[in-house]
Amino acid sequence: MSAGSLAIKSARAVTAGYGPAGRAFGRLVATDELVEDIAPKRHPKEPQDTKEPQDTAGDVPASFIREKLGIESVATTHTTDALTAQALADDPGGGTAGPAHPLFNPDIDAMTTQALRLALDDHTRVSRRPGSPPGTLAGHIHVSWSGDDRLMFALAEARRDVGWHTPGLSSLHILSGCAGLFEALDYAQYLLHHAAARNDENALVFLTASNDLSAIAHTRRPLPAPQNEDLDQWLFPAIFGEGAGAIVLGHPDRDGGDWVIEDYGAEPVTEDWRVTMPPDQNTPHMVIRARGVGATYRTHVPLAARRGLAALQLDTFDELHRLCLHESNPRMLAEVAAGLGAPGAAVHSISSTVGTLAGVSVFALLDEAFHSHRQSPDARDAIVCALIGDVGGSVSAGHASLRYSRPR
């Protein structure tokens, strides 16, 4: 989709336990520690011809994730850390205790507010012309894979905390994962160009995202058989991290200084269907097939990246400031980047330290890309994002092509 009338004014991310902005909200938990707690077993390849049962508890080495995927630690909020410890204390053997659900995760709420505050500070300091009016707030879109009745109130509190309380504001929660950005951009386009904001050149839309694992903290304890032999059941609780992000969107400034979204789009990944309806549940249930994720990532992320490059009419990835590949895991990301011929300096990655952040991943990547661009006067003025993941219950892969409009 051509999108030259939409610009990113700023983007920031806050990741639990990581960097100056995230250290207060959590810690980086070693994946070795998580695997030890989950104590997964290997599924025997052949039936054991013996009458004596074999105890294989914990026979997947604690270093499995670090060595196979390259993820050394994952970002974990204090709230999720405490809930995990509670689940382990209540059920050290695994398989009997029920999940411990908090009413809400105050760390995630605070991180979302902080990310929005930082993004607005950047917008005011870097993008806006001195003395220009702040403009109206046309809407607030939030992307996350989970939510509850309190979420929209929490987002209103975040706006109030940063000084943008707008009664009756259009506010939307998109229930989505790693590629939710594309649907959010569609809504932002509508709010900025088909509502009252179309007549306000300074109008803004807030886009926030969060990845909150507190609701599934109990899955970081030992799993009952046969779940503990199923990679799809135990891998993902041990590799996902927690974070929040914020993007400020608006009309491109006629005097420059914005990252203009020149093109974006997504296509369904029809061979990856992650939402099923088990007979014993009355709600959809997502089963992420670990081996299938690798296959679809390696197939569709390079295609999305090339579409993004073509939209900017560039010949090689050497001409980019950053190629932002969704951080599923660092080894697979490096493999795809190498296959594309992208220079290492153009592909930033933090997933080895914080895990995969789902929908927050692109916020963290854009945060670094914009910051590094400001620090280098000779930086190239193009960015391509290539993302894959869940959008509205199915999987999509897509691109966003950005070009910096230098101030006049």
Side-chain angles (χ1 to χ4, degrees), residues 236 267-274 288-304 307 326 328 332 335-336 386-390 394-398:
F236 288 91
E267 297 181 357
V269 179
T270 55
E271 70 269 28
D272 190 337
W273 184 253
R274 301 183 186 184
I288 304 178
R289 298 169 183 85
R291 294 175 179 85
V293 167
T296 55
Y297 188 100
R298 290 179 176 91
T299 299
H300 293 277
V301 168
L303 294 174
R307 286 195 296 269
H326 173 64
S328 181
M332 191 160 57
E335 176 188 329
V336 167
L387 313 178
I388 187 170
D390 308 295
S394 61
V395 175
S396 293

Side-chain angles (χ1 to χ4, degrees), residues 62-81:
S63 61
F64 178 89
I65 292 171
R66 175 167 48 86
E67 294 174 354
K68 296 294 185 183
L69 306 184
I71 300 177
E72 299 182 3
S73 57
V74 295
T76 305
T77 59
H78 293 309
T79 298
T80 297
D81 215 3

Side-chain angles (χ1 to χ4, degrees), residues 202-328:
N202 296 307
L204 302 175
V205 169
F206 292 166
L207 170 56
T208 54
S210 61
N211 196 42
D212 176 12
L213 304 183
S214 59
I216 59 169
H218 62 284
T219 62
R220 288 180 169 179
R221 71 173 195 274
L223 292 174
Q227 293 180 33
N228 57 5
E229 297 177 351
D230 185 349
L231 182 71
D232 296 339
Q233 294 289 337
W234 68 262
L235 177 64
F236 288 91
I239 68 172
F240 273 96
E242 294 181 292
I247 287 175
V248 177
L249 293 161
H251 301 288
D253 193 314
R254 65 184 68 182
D255 293 325
D258 294 330
W259 283 95
V260 179
I261 303 175
E262 295 203 352
D263 190 76
Y264 74 92
E267 297 181 357
V269 179
T270 55
E271 70 269 28
D272 190 337
W273 184 253
R274 301 183 186 184
V275 180
T276 60
M277 186 74 78
D280 58 339
Q281 298 182 22
N282 56 10
T283 58
H285 176 64
M286 182 174 292
V287 177
I288 304 178
R289 298 169 183 85
R291 294 175 179 85
V293 167
T296 55
Y297 188 100
R298 290 179 176 91
T299 299
H300 293 277
V301 168
L303 294 174
R306 291 189 180 98
R307 286 195 296 269
L309 190 72
L312 293 172
Q313 297 182 327
L314 298 178
D315 296 324
T316 72
F317 291 96
D318 291 337
E319 300 173 81
L320 296 177
H321 172 62
R322 285 289 184 271
L323 172 61
C324 299
L325 301 177
H326 173 64
E327 297 223 75
S328 181

